[in-house]
Amino acid sequence: MKETKHILNDTHGRAHAYLRISLIERCNLRCTYCMPEEGVKLSPKSHLMTYEEIYTIAKTFVDHGVTKIRLTGGEPLIRKDFPVILERLATLPVELSITSNAVIIDKFIDVLKANNVNSINVSLDALDASKFKHITRRHEFKKVYDNIFLLIKNGFKVKVNVVLIKGFNDNEIIDFINFTKDLPINVRFIEFMPFDGNKWDMSKMVSYAEIMEYVHSTFPKEHVIRLQDAPNDTSKNYTITGYKGSFAIISSVTNPFCDSCNRLRLTANGQLKNCLFSSTESDLLTTLRKNEPIAPVIERAVRAKFKVRGGMDTLEKLEKPQLHTKNRSMITIGG
């Protein structure tokens, strides 16, 4: 058996087995928490990874212990060679999944099935069509809503990601939980996080504690069942007695899960981010194009990972714009 060096272990005892790969910086929606109103400066096409480079970099990670790869964007499905990328990655001994806004996912049902993609995360921040239009700046609610049902009908494991923003969609928390009553889906409430250009401040965030206040004010406590979280899970999972589905809370801000983090992110232009909140990146693509080994670059990046949120280990630090605005906009990191 091929011996591997543990280049994916950091200095805090965490082993990284999960790689998120952004395929594209563009999207067919314009979500306010993800993309600045004025848009973002896109990388030139020549600076983006080709499908061969994506495969080569991914294989290096898999050779060193990655067992799960999630494809993200922007919107990964608008990349023209998405089927080719998926087919190549499916040859690796790894679990493949995807995060999508589901606007055009109906066109890819067969290719997803053919390449054993069983888990799909769908971004949907409102069950009200007018709110959906407000936050995405596009009229695509019905398409996304219908495609969620199509995915379920075709046997996919569906998670619905909801970024909560106070005064905007926090009054839909219970509606989203009731969405799980007759559907085998997992709705995940995500605390609003700071990125460059998304006008974040603490007052807009709906915390884990506040979400649970909504839950317990509606459902009897004995009917709110705490579920067993998966190893390295980012979410705290619950279900309501008698409901087919479940709901979860991802509390990256108020109750971070950094101690068990096993994730790394590769941007569409080939930069490795060791943390979603990190303001530093490591250039794998340039190294690869120089025909130099990328494993040493990966190892240095992993060992430089902070213990908590890219070094922002207190809420006070997180509230300092000069710290979190050094990071990219979310659309160019990958969801």
Side-chain angles (χ1 to χ4, degrees), residues 208 224-229 235-239:
Y208 170 76
V224 181
I225 310 300
R226 182 72 165 93
L227 300 175
Q228 180 67 48
D229 302 329
S235 57
K236 298 172 179 64
N237 291 270
Y238 298 84
T239 191

Side-chain angles (χ1 to χ4, degrees), residues 87-104:
E87 288 164 8
R88 289 299 306 276
L89 293 177
T91 65
L92 297 173
V94 67
E95 176 189 345
L96 285 177
S97 56
I98 183 174
T99 294
S100 171
N101 59 35
V103 172
I104 58 172

Side-chain angles (χ1 to χ4, degrees), residues 1 4 30 146 151-152 182-183 208 220 243 256 307 331 334:
M1 180 180 287
T4 61
R30 295 289 185 273
D146 289 348
L151 290 170
I152 294 168
D182 299 314
L183 297 175
Y208 170 76
Y243 281 30
K307 187 174 182 179
I331 191 168

Side-chain angles (χ1 to χ4, degrees), residues 8 25 52 77 79 118 170 184 190 199 205 207 209-210 249 253-254 260 277-278 284-285 295 299 306-307 314 318:
L8 301 183
E25 296 174 347
E52 295 98 336
L77 298 179
R79 181 156 168 161
N118 301 311
D170 51 339
I190 302 173
K199 300 179 182 178
M205 192 191 68
S207 70
E210 290 171 315
I249 302 168
V253 177
T254 63
S260 62
F277 289 97
S278 175
L284 299 187
L285 186 56
E299 181 176 21
F306 284 98
K307 187 174 182 179
T314 65
L318 200 65

Side-chain angles (χ1 to χ4, degrees), residues 68-95:
K68 180 177 180 179
I69 292 176
R70 177 174 293 279
L71 301 178
T72 70
E75 171 51 45
L77 298 179
I78 66 174
R79 181 156 168 161
K80 292 180 180 178
D81 58 354
F82 172 80
V84 178
I85 294 169
L86 191 61
E87 288 164 8
R88 289 299 306 276
L89 293 177
T91 65
L92 297 173
V94 67
E95 176 189 345

Side-chain angles (χ1 to χ4, degrees), residues 60-317:
T60 301
F61 277 94
V62 173
D63 287 345
H64 287 277
V66 160
T67 58
K68 180 177 180 179
I69 292 176
R70 177 174 293 279
L71 301 178
T72 70
E75 171 51 45
L77 298 179
I78 66 174
R79 181 156 168 161
K80 292 180 180 178
D81 58 354
F82 172 80
V84 178
I85 294 169
L86 191 61
E87 288 164 8
R88 289 299 306 276
L89 293 177
T91 65
L92 297 173
V94 67
E95 176 189 345
L96 285 177
S97 56
I98 183 174
T99 294
S100 171
N101 59 35
V103 172
I104 58 172
I105 205 166
D106 51 301
K107 299 178 175 65
F108 295 88
I109 296 292
D110 290 342
V111 72
L112 292 169
K113 285 184 175 182
N115 291 286
N116 297 314
V117 175
N118 301 311
S119 176
I120 298 175
N121 286 10
V122 176
S123 301
L124 178 66
D125 301 306
L127 290 171
D128 177 271
S130 62
K131 283 187 180 181
F132 179 92
K133 193 265 179 182
H134 177 82
I135 201 163
T136 65
R137 307 184 182 112
R138 294 293 185 271
H139 290 283
E140 298 287 3
F141 174 77
K142 188 176 188 306
K143 191 67 175 174
V144 174
Y145 190 81
D146 289 348
N147 278 342
I148 288 174
F149 284 85
L150 180 65
L151 290 170
I152 294 168
K153 181 180 177 181
N154 278 273
F156 291 98
K157 179 181 178 182
V158 177
K159 295 180 180 180
V160 175
N161 290 341
V162 185
V163 175
L164 289 176
I165 301 174
K166 189 167 290 185
F168 174 69
N169 61 353
D170 51 339
N171 64 344
E172 291 194 75
I173 290 172
I174 301 305
D175 292 337
F176 269 108
I177 292 175
N178 285 331
F179 196 42
T180 73
K181 183 175 182 179
D182 299 314
L183 297 175
I185 61 172
N186 177 240
V187 169
R188 308 196 305 171
F189 300 114
I190 302 173
E191 290 181 344
F192 184 35
M193 293 178 283
F195 297 99
D196 186 33
N198 74 351
K199 300 179 182 178
W200 181 90
D201 68 62
M202 192 71 75
S203 68
K204 296 178 182 178
M205 192 191 68
V206 186
S207 70
Y208 170 76
E210 290 171 315
I211 296 167
M212 292 309 295
E213 283 181 18
Y214 277 98
V215 173
H216 289 137
S217 68
T218 304
F219 302 100
K221 286 194 175 183
E222 65 271 20
H223 291 176
V224 181
I225 310 300
R226 182 72 165 93
L227 300 175
Q228 180 67 48
D229 302 329
N232 304 109
D233 209 338
T234 60
S235 57
K236 298 172 179 64
N237 291 270
Y238 298 84
T239 191
I240 303 299
T241 301
Y243 281 30
K244 287 185 178 180
S246 59
F247 71 95
I249 302 168
I250 299 177
S251 51
S252 306
V253 177
T254 63
N255 193 8
F257 37 81
C258 302
D259 285 348
S260 62
C261 181
N262 70 338
R263 292 158 176 76
L264 298 168
R265 292 171 181 267
L266 180 64
T267 67
N269 62 347
Q271 305 294 312
L272 178 63
K273 289 181 71 71
N274 60 21
C275 172
L276 178 59
F277 289 97
S278 175
S279 60
T280 60
E281 303 173 351
S282 300
D283 190 347
L284 299 187
L285 186 56
T286 298
T287 304
L288 181 68
R289 288 179 176 178
K290 289 179 179 177
N291 292 316
E292 296 175 0
I294 63 172
V297 183
I298 295 171
E299 181 176 21
R300 286 193 297 272
V302 172
R303 292 189 63 80
K305 185 170 182 173
F306 284 98
K307 187 174 182 179
V308 178
R309 280 191 308 235
M312 293 181 285
D313 52 2
T314 65
L315 290 178
E316 289 73 25
K317 288 182 182 179

